[in-house]
Amino acid sequence: MNDFQRNSVPEISVAIPVFNEAENLRPLVGRLTPALERCCASFEVIFIDDGSSDATLEILRELHASDQRLTALSFSRNFGKEIAIAAGLDFARGRAAIVMDADLQHPPELIPAFVSKWREGYKNIYGQRTDRAADPKLRGVLTQIYYDLLDQFGETSLPREAGDFRLLDRQAIDALAKMRERARFSKGLYAWIGFKSIGVPFEVERRAAGASKFNWAKLARFALDGFMSFSYVPLKIWTFIGMAISGFALAMAAYFFIRTLLFGADVPGYPSLIVSIAFFAGVQLISLGVLGEYIARIFAEVKGRPLYLVAERLGIEDEEEKPEHGPAGRNVTRR
Ligand code: UDP
Ligand code: MG
């Protein structure tokens, strides 16, 4: 690689979060590099090694040695895919950035279509999955219900079947870089920033090797993050539930008052008493739990810890260190 290439800003950056994807890296690069060479004047690929414990990092070193355009960051531990994407975008220098998975579920051959949409003037281009056949059945159904709910109650409307496979213009990258929230729900953030958007349909392939890195617990956490970050319904609903229950209690009080006046007091009523005590104790605990979820998130944000820590860089220079807070320093200083 010559000096001209090293110092110039690449046209396209590709950010790829990787967590134990050793078997997938070479097949991925084998398809990615030709696709990028076909459509872009110059490019850089940034792999974000999200604390892998397999041979991922060694393979990234070998890949970087053989092709300087393939660079990598290695996190000090597993910070999660959403944070890895944020880091990739922080360090992306291109005039546009592509975000994709490493498991070949996002076909690199779609990239030229993204790039041509970008040249037409779109700034937020997403791959739109035409089916969920590659996902387990139950996960597909639950995902559908979840997005219906989020659509109904969320503050930001999310485009349907839009995933993490995208191209973002520099303006969109800089906008995302300003959002340093820890509980990241990228799909929501991509929709929140707006800009001229369009979907490009594609068929999701099956994962090339290995299993999904998301188990049910991780998915549930992610779903909760999304709902809590993009909807206020869990907080606001308690006002209405409280009002309904109080109204009901007042009506009940009136009823008992009149009944006692007319017929005198009677002792029975144990079952209704115990049921209502248990029910309202449950309601109160649930609403406290919801408050707890939000307070935990507020606490996590207020602590102001860095989003991630980088343990090693390959082809990403030291002076380009990103400040741990605030907007992306690298992009600002280099351009
Ligand atoms: N990934 C990551 N950190 C994690 C989990 C996943 O960087 O903690 C990466 C993973 O290596 C892959 C992408 O995120 O490149 C998507 O993960 P996966 O294919 O397991 O998710 P799914 O396709 O099942 O949603
Ligand atoms: Mg996958």
Side-chain angles (χ1 to χ4, degrees), residues 54-261:
D54 66 354
T56 297
L57 187 56
E58 279 116 75
I59 295 175
L60 289 177
R61 284 196 196 104
E62 289 167 26
L63 286 171
H64 175 63
S66 66
D67 185 346
Q68 302 280 297
R69 297 171 299 184
L70 307 175
T71 67
L73 296 170
S74 182
F75 281 175
S76 60
R77 63 171 172 84
N78 181 257
F79 281 87
K81 176 186 174 186
E82 304 298 309
I83 305 266
I85 292 176
L89 293 178
D90 283 344
F91 285 90
R93 292 178 301 148
R95 293 200 288 113
I98 290 166
V99 178
M100 65 191 291
D101 287 357
D103 56 2
L104 286 169
Q105 287 196 290
H106 296 162
E109 292 72 26
L110 201 66
I111 290 177
F114 279 11
V115 170
S116 72
K117 286 286 175 218
W118 175 56
R119 297 210 169 107
E120 279 172 32
Y122 290 96
K123 294 183 190 253
N124 192 348
I125 300 148
Y126 50 91
Q128 202 164 20
R129 30 202 308 176
T130 49
D131 68 298
R132 287 199 166 262
D135 272 354
K137 269 254 156 29
L138 181 61
R139 180 171 164 183
V141 172
L142 291 179
T143 307
Q144 198 65 38
I145 296 174
Y146 176 71
Y147 284 107
D148 281 344
L149 285 175
L150 204 54
D151 236 18
Q152 197 72 36
F153 297 115
E155 306 278 306
T156 310
S157 95
L158 307 180
R160 270 305 150 117
E161 300 302 330
D164 279 325
F165 189 17
R166 352 197 121 220
L167 184 148
L168 298 159
D169 180 72
R170 171 50 59 193
Q171 269 186 304
I173 302 169
D174 289 344
L176 283 171
K178 293 196 182 106
M179 299 195 245
R180 306 308 290 172
E181 57 210 78
R182 264 133 274 265
R184 293 186 84 80
F185 185 66
S186 302
K187 268 185 221 88
L189 298 178
Y190 297 141
W192 188 90
I193 58 170
F195 293 110
K196 205 173 164 203
S197 308
I198 191 168
V200 178
F202 77 105
E203 218 162 287
V204 181
E205 294 169 38
R206 287 193 184 278
R207 187 171 235 289
S212 171
K213 312 297 177 217
F214 286 88
N215 54 30
W216 287 103
K218 226 167 159 179
L219 274 176
R221 200 73 230 152
F222 177 65
L224 201 61
D225 273 348
F227 217 90
M228 298 261 162
S229 311
F230 284 93
S231 158
Y232 296 107
V233 164
L235 274 180
K236 290 181 175 168
I237 199 168
W238 297 103
T239 316
F240 296 102
I241 292 180
M243 285 193 315
I245 289 176
S246 306
F248 181 66
L250 280 178
M252 226 160 54
Y255 166 74
F256 282 125
F257 183 69
I258 292 167
R259 207 182 67 164
T260 311
L261 281 185

Side-chain angles (χ1 to χ4, degrees), residues 10-76:
E11 185 178 27
I12 301 279
S13 301
V14 184
I16 309 179
V18 287
F19 179 48
N20 296 339
E21 301 281 8
E23 304 110 303
N24 289 326
L25 285 175
R26 285 183 198 284
L28 170 68
V29 167
R31 281 170 59 182
L32 182 63
T33 315
L36 286 166
E37 276 167 351
R38 217 174 311 132
C39 66
C40 328
S42 57
F43 66 88
E44 64 176 0
V45 179
I46 305 174
F47 290 100
I48 306 94
D49 168 29
D50 189 11
S52 300
S53 53
D54 66 354
T56 297
L57 187 56
E58 279 116 75
I59 295 175
L60 289 177
R61 284 196 196 104
E62 289 167 26
L63 286 171
H64 175 63
S66 66
D67 185 346
Q68 302 280 297
R69 297 171 299 184
L70 307 175
T71 67
L73 296 170
S74 182
F75 281 175
S76 60

